[in-house]
Amino acid sequence: MSELWLSEDLHPYYRKSLKINKKLVDEQTEYQHLQVFETEFFGNTLVLDGIIQLTERDNIGYHEMITHIPMLAVKEPKRVLIVGGGDGGSLQQVLRYSSVEEAVVCELDQRVVDHSRKYFPAFGDPWVDPRANLLVRDAFGYLEENPGTFDVIISDTTDPIGMAERLFSDEFYNLMVRALKPGGAAATQCEQPFFDTSLIKTIYETSKRLSRHPAYYYAQIPTYPGGGIGFMYVSDTPWSNGLNKPYPAGVNNYLNPLMHQAAFALPEFFRRELYG
Ligand code: SPD
């Protein structure tokens, strides 16, 4: 029998592939083509519109880094908003903090939640926690209705293609920063330094206009293009305020104090491009 390989077409000049054991889900939801594969080394893998979103084996670096960097920077975060994040991976990390009273997840596609609950059991079904509040709706309207509300906002989105393109716009960043409490912090999925330099630069310029201490940081995720992905930290509170703070129980599969600091070190070509 011939081997099956999962390969995504995000870039016309670059591909990587995961070996598939079997297909577990193949569904056209109201919003997107949702697939879950059992893969050989990386375990169950969620794919949306042909793009790998997460695998059981390497999602932890993404979820720890997108959540704990802003969560640790802010003192005692109580109200948290996750934009997207229907798989529950970021929610699991946010709920590790005993200071958190409410974690709102604004996810457009209920089917992402349903399938992730079944196929990614390591997220521990965070939806049953009474502090979790799932809103199946578009984040723009919700942000507009809630200025000055959140200690931390995490934008845990797909790539800037189709319906997600707006989540990388000036308008979105304006609304997001407006929805933070004074001193609050946001972190956003912010793509790949090699492939998306000019988009990241534009987002950094926007973040600089909107906040005092924006910074780009990076995590190694082998199943994403280029083997990793970056995040934009957006806040008036420096990210370094979170360094060497004690972690809530359950954290540190990927994050440790050296990784925390090193994540903000950028390759020179990219540092120059971004910070001048
Ligand atoms: N190129 C793929 C980027 C995927 C980012 N979203 C991941 C969602 C995990 N919660």
Side-chain angles (χ1 to χ4, degrees), residues 19-137:
K19 187 164 180 222
I20 296 174
N21 290 339
K22 62 177 170 209
K23 193 188 274 184
L24 300 168
V25 178
D26 195 341
E27 177 181 326
Q28 184 60 49
T29 74
E30 199 182 334
Y31 300 100
Q32 55 204 339
H33 183 198
L34 187 160
Q35 294 167 300
V36 181
F37 296 94
E38 181 193 294
T39 67
E40 177 72 27
F41 177 79
F42 287 97
N44 290 352
T45 298
L46 174 68
V47 177
L48 296 176
D49 286 336
I51 309 293
I52 294 170
Q53 298 301 314
L54 66 100
T55 78
E56 286 188 295
R57 186 174 280 262
D58 72 352
N59 79 81
I60 194 68
Y62 175 92
H63 287 122
E64 285 194 0
M65 294 304 275
I66 199 170
T67 55
H68 297 305
I69 302 306
M71 291 293 286
L72 291 166
V74 171
K75 200 162 174 263
E76 307 240 307
K78 290 188 177 56
R79 292 200 71 195
V80 178
L81 171 66
I82 299 169
V83 174
D87 51 71
S90 290
L91 180 62
Q92 177 189 41
Q93 299 303 324
V94 160
L95 292 173
R96 293 193 191 286
Y97 293 76
S98 55
S99 64
V100 169
E101 291 166 2
E102 186 186 24
V104 177
V105 180
C106 229
E107 163 66 55
L108 199 54
D109 194 342
Q110 174 72 47
R111 299 302 284 157
V112 174
V113 179
D114 299 340
H115 287 300
S116 300
R117 288 182 88 164
K118 178 163 178 196
Y119 292 107
F120 298 92
F123 292 157
D125 205 10
W127 309 102
V128 298
D129 189 307
R131 297 171 296 162
N133 179 7
L134 171 64
L135 304 176
V136 180
R137 60 175 290 189

Side-chain angles (χ1 to χ4, degrees), residues 70-77 148 150-153 177 179-186 211-213 233-239 241:
M71 291 293 286
L72 291 166
V74 171
K75 200 162 174 263
E76 307 240 307
F150 295 99
D151 299 290
V152 170
I153 300 179
V177 170
L180 285 174
K181 286 183 193 164
S211 69
R212 283 173 47 211
H213 297 288
Y233 175 84
V234 188
S235 182
D236 288 339
T237 302
W239 63 266
N241 278 19

Side-chain angles (χ1 to χ4, degrees), residues 248-270:
V251 175
N252 73 355
N253 279 295
Y254 184 93
L255 184 65
N256 60 36
L258 279 178
M259 285 304 280
H260 193 155
Q261 190 145 29
F264 288 86
L266 305 178
E268 183 54 18
F269 82 91
F270 184 67

